[in-house]
Amino acid sequence: AQSVTQLDSHVSVSEGTPVLLRCNYSSSYSPSLFWYVQHPNKGLQLLLKYTSAATLVKGINGFEAEFKKSETSFHLTKPSAHMSDAAEYFCVARTGNQFYFGTGTSLTVIP
Amino acid sequence: DAGITQSPRYKITETGRQVTLMCHQTWSHSYMFWYRQDLGHGLRLIYYSAAADITDKGEVPDGYVVSRSKTENFPLTLESATRSQTSVYFCASSVSDTQYFGPGTRLTVL
């Protein structure tokens, strides 16, 4: 079975500094990988997805993620944090018909 | 363009009562899913459906029942609610590898 590990439950950055949210997955083959964002009391919104094309994936709002098969990682980055980026972020892997979620990383942006 | 809607948005019920959470999508996506979100667990799959009249269990199906007589609707029923089912429930549909989520239903079981 697939599992997704988000290495940090909370990340705090200052506005204007880089963001790094870490995600590792386990699988015997490369799954489809996603990052979703959830703002308080809202549903989940897709940030970006990897489906075996380019290993560097660009998403919305300046986020990007790099798929590294050798490290089974799919870390999410953004060069400069904005206050509006404060939210919960979920790394998700899809194998077959099911989607497997990490436990989430809460991002705080300090003004 | 409503997308995917859930009702009710908030529900308080008592232990032992039957509760049905509704999910409706306007896109005609084949796949639909029900998740529950709890602190420390992320989202966990309850049931999913590949098409009308085709459903399958996810990671945490016990105590839940689903049906899908029409492509656009995917109701989730708690047959006899328990306190451990207090959670936020999300419905999703998917196409081309991407899931689209509803706004969620916050259920409290007293």
Side-chain angles (χ1 to χ4, degrees):
Chain A
Q2 181 63 264
S3 71
V4 177
T5 302
Q6 290 185 242
L7 298 166
D8 307 292
S9 57
H10 301 279
V11 170
S12 184
V13 301
S14 296
E15 189 176 18
T17 65
V19 176
L20 170 64
L21 306 182
R22 300 181 293 167
C23 174
N24 286 99
Y25 68 94
S26 68
S27 177
S28 59
Y29 54 94
S30 297
S32 297
L33 296 164
F34 309 79
W35 275 99
Y36 281 82
V37 61
Q38 184 182 30
H39 288 92
N41 299 312
K42 300 287 187 183
L44 280 75
Q45 180 186 16
L46 179 68
L47 274 179
L48 50 81
K49 66 178 181 180
Y50 165 78
T51 54
S52 73
T55 56
L56 183 62
V57 182
K58 293 188 184 297
I60 62 172
N61 301 333
F63 284 95
E64 59 183 38
E66 186 173 7
F67 173 72
K68 291 186 177 180
K69 186 173 182 178
S70 61
E71 299 176 8
T72 60
S73 69
F74 190 57
H75 301 335
L76 181 70
T77 61
K78 182 173 181 177
S80 176
H82 191 271
M83 294 299 295
S84 61
D85 294 329
E88 189 85 13
Y89 291 80
F90 292 96
C91 182
V92 183
R94 175 183 181 269
T95 55
N97 297 325
Q98 297 202 27
F99 293 78
Y100 298 88
F101 284 72
T103 53
T105 298
S106 177
L107 177 65
T108 299
V109 182
I110 302 167
Chain B
D1 183 8
I4 186 163
T5 57
Q6 294 182 235
S7 62
R9 294 293 315 280
Y10 302 89
K11 176 73 176 179
I12 300 174
T13 191
E14 295 177 339
T15 302
R17 290 190 179 264
Q18 183 179 82
V19 177
T20 295
L21 309 184
M22 303 301 295
C23 177
H24 175 80
Q25 54 132 338
T26 59
W27 296 304
S28 298
H29 291 166
S30 295
Y31 278 89
M32 296 188 75
F33 306 80
W34 273 107
Y35 294 90
R36 59 178 290 172
Q37 183 178 27
D38 304 289
L39 275 175
H41 290 280
L43 274 73
R44 292 181 291 176
L45 181 65
I46 304 170
Y47 271 94
Y48 68 100
S49 169
D53 297 321
I54 301 174
T55 62
D56 209 347
K57 295 178 180 179
E59 181 184 356
V60 290
D62 293 343
Y64 302 95
V65 174
V66 294
S67 61
R68 195 166 176 207
S69 57
K70 294 183 178 181
T71 299
E72 61 267 29
N73 296 323
F74 191 38
L76 175 74
T77 298
L78 288 67
E79 293 187 300
S80 178
T82 65
R83 288 198 182 91
S84 65
Q85 292 177 310
T86 293
S87 187
V88 180
Y89 291 85
F90 286 99
C91 178
S93 67
S94 78
V95 66
S96 299
D97 239 7
T98 300
Q99 287 191 307
Y100 300 89
F101 286 84
T105 294
R106 184 174 294 274
L107 176 68
T108 301
V109 183
L110 301 176

